[in-house]
Amino acid sequence: MNILILNGPNLNLLGEREPEIYGSTTLSDIEILLQAEFPAHQFVFFQSNHEGELIERLHSAFRDSDMGGVVINPGGFSHTSVALRDALSALRIPKVEVHLSNIHARESFRHTSLTAGACQGLISGFGLDSYRLGIRALERLM
């Protein structure tokens, strides 16, 4: 069963962008670690800074009978994108939203995630472990 790991805007800059908040781990490091720690799963990794591309990728998952679940870090789109939420809502497979930083300990505009309401759960604030915990939660939901 495939798991889609979907990453939104600016996550391509992990390891360089605001390391005091996001750490020094890169997106590539996360992909390598997840593949090593969860060899029973086939991962499909996708990152885009463009909302429409993320939505198209979710639409592809909607049509993919081998797709078992989604772990999504929508980045800043979490707080702004009704369209991304609607695309998540259309999926009939389990979805878990993750964030590296604790969105509730940051600026007030980050405290609300529009997209999390279309997922079975939200994991926030554990850095790289947010992805690990997201996969563990997804395994229980699948």
Side-chain angles (χ1 to χ4, degrees), residues 70 72 88 95-97 115-122:
V70 176
I72 181 170
L88 285 163
K95 302 156 299 263
V96 176
E97 182 170 317
T115 50
C119 296
Q120 278 69 33
L122 166 67

Side-chain angles (χ1 to χ4, degrees), residues 26-138:
T26 67
L27 196 55
S28 179
D29 294 337
I30 291 171
E31 293 174 5
I32 291 166
L33 179 121
L34 294 179
Q35 289 174 323
E37 283 195 26
F38 300 95
H41 298 300
Q42 295 289 352
F43 292 104
V44 177
F45 296 100
F46 186 80
Q47 185 279 329
S48 180
N49 295 318
H50 304 281
E51 183 180 35
E53 289 181 1
L54 297 169
I55 291 167
E56 290 296 332
R57 191 62 195 90
L58 288 169
H59 288 182
S60 293
F62 179 84
R63 294 178 183 91
D64 184 349
S65 61
D66 289 331
M67 192 62 64
V70 176
V71 172
I72 181 170
N73 182 343
F77 288 142
S78 306
H79 321 292
T80 63
S81 182
V82 172
L84 191 56
R85 179 195 169 103
D86 289 347
L88 285 163
S89 293
L91 287 175
R92 297 180 200 105
I93 57 177
K95 302 156 299 263
V96 176
E97 182 170 317
V98 300
H99 293 278
L100 296 165
S101 67
N102 180 351
I103 62 174
H104 301 287
R106 299 192 57 201
E107 304 92 339
S108 61
F109 67 86
R110 295 185 195 273
H111 295 180
T112 301
S113 171
L114 299 178
T115 50
C119 296
Q120 278 69 33
L122 166 67
I123 298 169
S124 172
F126 296 99
L128 170 61
D129 286 335
S130 292
Y131 284 87
R132 289 179 173 127
L133 293 166
I135 291 169
R136 291 285 180 220
L138 201 60

